[in-house]
Amino acid sequence: SYYRTLQYKKAKEQFLKLIKKPNGEYRHSSIYFYGTILKLESEFALADSTFAYLITLPDVNDKLLESSRKQSEGCQLALNHEEQNRGFTISEMKDLNSRFHDFGGVINPQNDALVFVTTRKLGSRQYDGVQYDGLLPDLVQFTKRNDNWRDISSRNRFDNLNTKWSEGTGNFTADGQSFYFTTCQANDGSDCKVVVSRFVNDRWTEPVVLNDYINAAGYESKHPFVTPQADTLFFVSDREGSYGGTDIWMSLRGIEEDSWTPAINMGDVINTVSNEITPYYSSAYRCLIYSSDGHVGYGGFDIFAAKGESFFEPEIYNLGDPFNSPLDDIYFSISDSVGFMSSNRNDRAHLNLYSFAVSDELLYLSLLISGESLIDQRIVSRFKSVRSLDLTTFRVEDYQGFDLFEPPKRKKARPDLLGGDSTQDIGAISEALIAANAQNNSRSDNRQSAGQQFSELQIGTTDIVSAAQLEGYEKADFEKVYFEFGSTKLTKQARLSLDNLINQVKSNMDAIEYIQVVANTDDVGGNEYNIRLSANRGNAVREYLVSKGYPERRILIDARGEDNLVNAGTTWYDRFFDRRAELFVYSTVPLELDKSKKLLIRTDMNVDNASEILNVNRDKIKIWNEMGSDVLKKGEVIRIDEPVFTSNIKYFLDETDVKNKFFPYIVEEGETIAAVARKFRTPEELLVEINQLEKEVRAGDVVFVYNTKRVAVN
């Protein structure tokens, strides 16, 4: 009850009491809601740790596990965005918002007025709302003169569109002659239908309910968005065929005005088992923007973008800060040079209008939707009936970037994960890569814009080499190089590693036949996209080696995409170690290559901290990493060129740590460090070392458990 009534401080106290009961009936759900409150309070790091802990517990029901994983992903997304300064700003429209709900702003092309929905008192007949704080929502029309907003709802009889029940958001066609919106004939906001009003003889006509393909009997239909030429209508419905909650649907216009065709569910990549609402289609950027509480997000409803070759296999992007917050963020739209959205982030209880300046919609969205925002792995849609549509009756101007037909599926080669001779996988290249290279044999261009980087990745040159070609050569492995999320650019640490390799192979050029680059990605994004990304990462390594004088013909690239994960973890550090290129040297004589140890930094520190923890001279750390500053940031990698006694996983991780799977554990009442060690069959000395313990643990302390064989906890 405290949670539902937004009394989060009291709710946290009660959930914590239930969490401390070792075998309590509500312990798992209490941990989940405790983490959810932390997330709502923007305590993303603590919330992430809480969800990560819950995932490790035994006997957690599947639904709670799946929700916890998504919540954890949302925390990581928020933390990543917090560290970026993307330069986007939004402004609350304080001089227009009331102390009630105000939401869903769009521009009326007829008079450039702002049309939105409000629950404030308007002077006309309105019923009290059940689900709203105030009266049932109505449409209003405001214009701004001399820095003052003025209500012009009565102009052209626009206010006649309102009933005593609820009216919801809508949008106009490009010529301003038609307005599609929602009307609901019940005081709880149900029984909603999509209607249209025409601008005839200088006034708005009586709204007409759209046909049964849009307004299915017995179900709600709302939140319409019509494309500029009224060829396509997107809307929200809970009708039969939805994946759960409300889904986004699409209908095409027939030959006659408003003769809409049977509605198409947008598929299970865009839609989830939760709720998808408030669609907006950008014809300029050719992507669908909408809100959802089912995808990985900051909390509540977040705003997402779907962009790709097909509506039914797009990539899903979270718009990030400042558009998304731990509360509800909905009703995104752009009208020429200004955009609008709505959020209850300030007082939690009321939706308010926000605006943002847009100089060029195509450029704005391409910069806004970046690889750091990519959230959901592509899933093949279950929708198969799109081919049955009669496509002769609609115009294609809004479908330049979204092929309505399903794109051809190219099978991707996968490595043998069950063991056997690993050389059988050398040079494994997907059919998609082979086909693409037949058309495009150009090198990858790393100087792409943020928008191009993820929607137009070019596949560079690759080499297909059989295991037989490498038979008889000696194989020596070298250190791995790592990449930033979605990037093909070599980091400074990667360049230092490659310089080290070049210096060693130059003295053995007569004996060395090939350098093989096995390029990998994490599991975020679609399969074909990740194959392309890994190929481009391999090409980035090759181009650097060639620039240092190594022969191009003797460098082989094996693009694995997401087929070679270090483990199936979902944390930022798990996925960091997946974004790698592994290097192998094939020679006629055995070689022993000098390699640096790579450590991933888990928390901000300076060189002196690192020197003390690792028991390594500080000046050596700076020399090995060519550091000009003493600052080490979370997520960076440092190279260590001499044996390290301990890497202490509270501060540093290497790939072995992630493979062996360490995890946080909350000490329970009465437990000692010895008891925890026995519970997880882990040496007590190891727990003391990796947690840097100087005294006995207490109930509620978080310790990291590190074991090569996970055991169930009863």
Side-chain angles (χ1 to χ4, degrees):
S1 296
Y2 287 139
Y3 176 81
R4 296 297 181 189
T5 55
L6 311 181
Q7 299 178 72
Y8 294 137
K9 184 178 179 180
K10 292 182 178 179
K12 283 170 66 177
E13 293 173 354
Q14 298 303 317
F15 285 135
L16 198 56
K17 289 180 181 179
L18 292 172
I19 290 170
K20 290 180 178 179
K21 294 181 181 294
N23 299 308
E25 180 182 357
Y26 303 105
R27 186 166 186 257
H28 292 166
S29 58
S30 296
I31 295 171
Y32 177 82
F33 284 113
Y34 187 82
T36 303
I37 294 173
L38 290 172
K39 191 176 179 185
L40 289 170
E41 294 173 339
S42 299
E43 295 286 352
F44 297 115
L46 290 175
D48 184 43
S49 297
T50 303
F51 294 123
Y53 169 66
L54 179 58
I55 291 169
T56 67
L57 296 179
D59 303 323
V60 180
N61 72 63
D62 291 342
K63 185 175 181 180
L64 202 58
L65 275 177
E66 179 62 23
S67 297
S68 297
R69 291 190 182 101
K70 284 193 174 184
Q71 291 277 29
S72 180
E73 286 287 321
C75 292
Q76 290 300 324
L77 187 75
L79 288 169
N80 289 340
H81 285 169
E82 278 184 346
E83 297 171 0
Q84 303 175 35
N85 182 9
R86 303 193 300 165
F88 296 101
T89 59
I90 63 172
S91 301
E92 183 181 352
M93 304 177 73
K94 293 183 178 180
D95 52 347
L96 183 61
N97 289 321
S98 66
R99 60 187 182 90
F100 300 100
H101 289 290
D102 301 289
F103 56 92
V106 294
I107 295 295
N108 181 350
Q110 285 282 339
N111 53 15
D112 292 328
L114 176 63
V115 171
F116 61 97
V117 175
T118 184
T119 61
R120 70 185 75 180
K121 176 64 176 175
L122 297 174
S124 56
R125 185 171 60 167
Q126 295 169 271
Y127 286 160
D128 288 332
V130 172
Q131 69 172 128
Y132 303 100
D133 181 9
L135 302 174
L136 289 178
D138 271 354
L139 289 160
V140 290
Q141 185 172 217
F142 276 69
T143 188
K144 195 170 189 179
R145 287 186 180 178
N146 300 323
D147 293 327
N148 292 315
W149 287 101
R150 187 162 62 94
D151 187 348
I152 58 167
S153 299
S154 60
R155 185 173 297 181
N156 309 120
R157 300 187 180 180
F158 185 80
D159 55 358
N160 283 359
L161 301 183
N162 291 318
T163 67
K164 59 188 178 181
W165 302 101
S166 299
E167 272 62 54
T169 56
N171 81 301
F172 297 85
T173 52
D175 58 11
Q177 297 297 308
S178 300
F179 179 57
Y180 291 78
F181 65 101
T182 307
T183 185
C184 306
Q185 301 296 310
N187 71 348
D188 62 353
S190 63
D191 190 25
C192 297
K193 291 181 172 58
V194 176
V195 299
V196 61
S197 175
R198 311 287 183 192
F199 194 70
V200 179
N201 296 327
D202 204 34
R203 66 181 62 179
W204 290 100
T205 62
E206 182 75 18
V208 175
V209 177
L210 300 191
N211 66 20
D212 290 344
Y213 290 137
I214 306 300
N215 295 298
Y219 299 97
E220 290 186 15
S221 297
K222 55 189 177 183
H223 302 169
F225 178 88
V226 66
T227 51
Q229 303 304 322
D231 293 323
T232 309
L233 181 71
F234 298 92
F235 64 99
V236 170
S237 180
D238 60 352
R239 68 187 59 199
E240 186 177 355
S242 295
Y243 293 108
T246 56
D247 281 6
I248 296 176
W249 295 71
M250 176 181 75
S251 178
L252 309 175
R253 193 181 71 185
I255 297 174
E256 298 180 0
E257 189 174 58
D258 288 328
S259 59
W260 297 97
T261 61
I264 305 166
N265 186 292
M266 298 300 291
D268 60 357
V269 180
I270 289 174
N271 292 315
T272 70
V273 296
S274 297
N275 298 285
E276 282 66 48
I277 58 174
T278 64
Y280 166 79
Y281 179 70
S282 171
S283 298
Y285 191 51
R286 300 188 290 274
C287 75
L288 182 70
I289 299 177
Y290 62 101
S291 291
S292 170
D293 63 356
H295 288 295
V296 172
Y298 288 29
F301 280 96
D302 271 15
I303 304 174
F304 298 89
K307 183 168 176 62
E309 297 173 353
S310 164
F311 273 129
F312 307 104
E313 284 191 309
E315 305 288 7
I316 306 297
Y317 298 84
N318 185 299
L319 294 200
D321 179 74
F323 296 93
N324 288 323
S325 71
L327 277 299
D328 294 320
D329 304 287
I330 51 183
Y331 296 110
F332 180 100
S333 69
I334 294 177
S335 299
D336 294 328
S337 61
V338 62
F340 301 99
M341 59 165 285
S342 305
S343 177
N344 61 350
R345 63 183 64 184
N346 277 350
D347 67 359
R348 301 178 182 270
H350 301 100
L351 288 170
N352 288 313
L353 292 164
Y354 290 77
S355 66
F356 48 96
V358 180
S359 57
D360 180 280
E361 182 171 351
L362 172 60
L363 177 61
Y364 190 90
L365 290 178
S366 67
L367 293 175
L368 176 59
I369 299 172
S370 68
E372 286 294 336
S373 309
L374 184 64
I375 57 152
D376 276 354
Q377 183 175 340
R378 182 182 296 171
I379 308 167
V380 177
S381 174
R382 291 189 292 270
F383 183 80
K384 299 297 180 186
S385 60
V386 66
R387 298 183 186 279
S388 65
L389 289 175
D390 178 8
L391 300 181
T392 63
T393 60
F394 84 103
R395 301 172 189 165
V396 296
E397 59 200 274
D398 287 322
Y399 292 95
Q400 300 296 321
F402 271 116
D403 182 3
L404 274 179
F405 296 103
E406 294 176 89
K409 307 291 193 304
R410 296 188 176 98
K411 189 176 180 181
K412 182 170 65 174
R414 293 188 176 273
D416 180 10
L417 301 179
L418 300 179
D421 184 1
S422 63
T423 61
Q424 297 299 319
D425 297 320
I426 294 173
I429 298 294
S430 75
E431 294 176 21
L433 267 175
I434 297 171
N437 278 313
Q439 300 177 349
N440 178 16
N441 203 35
S442 62
R443 299 272 179 82
S444 62
D445 181 359
N446 294 332
R447 296 169 294 179
Q448 302 173 63
S449 70
Q452 292 172 322
Q453 185 176 1
F454 298 97
S455 61
E456 300 175 7
L457 271 173
Q458 299 299 308
I459 302 175
T461 55
T462 57
D463 298 276
I464 304 173
V465 56
S466 68
Q469 287 178 261
L470 297 176
E471 285 182 358
Y473 291 110
E474 299 287 343
K475 179 181 178 182
D477 64 323
F478 185 65
E479 60 194 70
K480 302 174 178 66
V481 298
Y482 299 100
F483 293 84
E484 297 297 324
F485 183 90
S487 175
T488 61
K489 183 179 179 181
L490 295 176
T491 65
K492 183 177 75 171
Q493 302 301 332
R495 294 193 299 272
L496 290 174
S497 293
L498 296 178
D499 289 342
N500 180 19
L501 178 61
I502 285 293
N503 290 336
Q504 294 185 67
V505 300
K506 277 184 176 179
S507 60
N508 295 281
M509 285 296 289
D510 292 338
I512 293 175
E513 188 63 28
Y514 295 115
I515 293 178
Q516 183 193 23
V517 183
V518 180
N520 304 272
T521 70
D522 60 28
D523 61 353
V524 178
N527 290 341
E528 188 172 333
Y529 166 83
N530 281 331
I531 283 287
R532 294 179 182 180
L533 179 59
S534 63
N536 284 327
R537 284 175 174 168
N539 277 296
V541 172
R542 171 158 58 184
E543 290 179 1
Y544 188 83
L545 294 176
V546 170
S547 74
K548 296 295 182 178
Y550 194 80
E552 181 176 10
R553 66 179 179 81
R554 293 164 69 176
I555 304 172
L556 308 172
I557 297 175
D558 181 356
R560 297 288 186 90
E562 62 189 66
D563 285 344
N564 195 21
L565 301 178
V566 174
N567 68 44
T570 59
T571 64
W572 69 271
Y573 45 81
D574 285 322
R575 285 177 169 158
F576 173 86
F577 288 105
D578 293 328
R579 302 193 295 268
R580 71 198 186 281
E582 304 173 46
L583 294 118
F584 303 96
V585 176
Y586 289 85
S587 59
T588 56
V589 297
L591 292 178
E592 187 68 34
L593 300 175
D594 293 331
K595 295 174 285 187
S596 297
K597 186 178 182 66
K598 299 284 185 65
L599 296 178
L600 177 64
I601 299 169
R602 290 200 66 204
T603 185
D604 294 348
M605 65 179 70
N606 57 41
V607 175
D608 289 330
N609 299 142
S611 172
E612 181 179 354
I613 296 167
L614 298 172
N615 195 27
V616 174
N617 182 277
R618 71 179 306 278
D619 293 330
K620 288 184 178 181
I621 294 176
K622 296 194 69 171
I623 292 171
W624 293 331
N625 295 278
E626 295 187 1
M627 294 176 58
S629 166
D630 284 350
V631 177
L632 296 170
K633 301 292 289 182
K634 171 185 173 182
E636 291 181 345
V637 169
I638 58 172
R639 304 171 74 246
I640 304 295
D641 285 351
E642 62 183 40
V644 178
F645 175 67
T646 176
S647 63
N648 195 326
I649 62 174
K650 289 181 66 175
Y651 303 100
F652 301 99
L653 292 174
D654 65 15
E655 187 174 303
T656 303
D657 295 317
V658 174
K659 280 183 177 178
N660 289 343
K661 205 62 175 161
F662 74 94
F663 51 96
Y665 174 72
I666 299 178
V667 178
E668 297 181 351
E669 194 70 43
E671 284 187 325
T672 63
I673 193 64
V676 175
R678 287 195 301 272
K679 177 180 285 189
F680 291 97
R681 301 177 190 172
T682 301
E684 183 178 346
E685 294 79 9
L686 179 60
L687 290 184
V688 171
E689 179 186 343
I690 66 177
N691 290 281
Q692 294 291 284
L693 297 176
E694 297 179 355
K695 58 184 179 180
E696 188 56 74
V697 294
R698 297 180 300 177
D701 286 349
V702 177
V703 296
F704 288 98
V705 178
Y706 181 33
N707 197 347
T708 57
K709 293 183 179 180
R710 293 285 300 279
V711 295
V713 182
N714 295 320

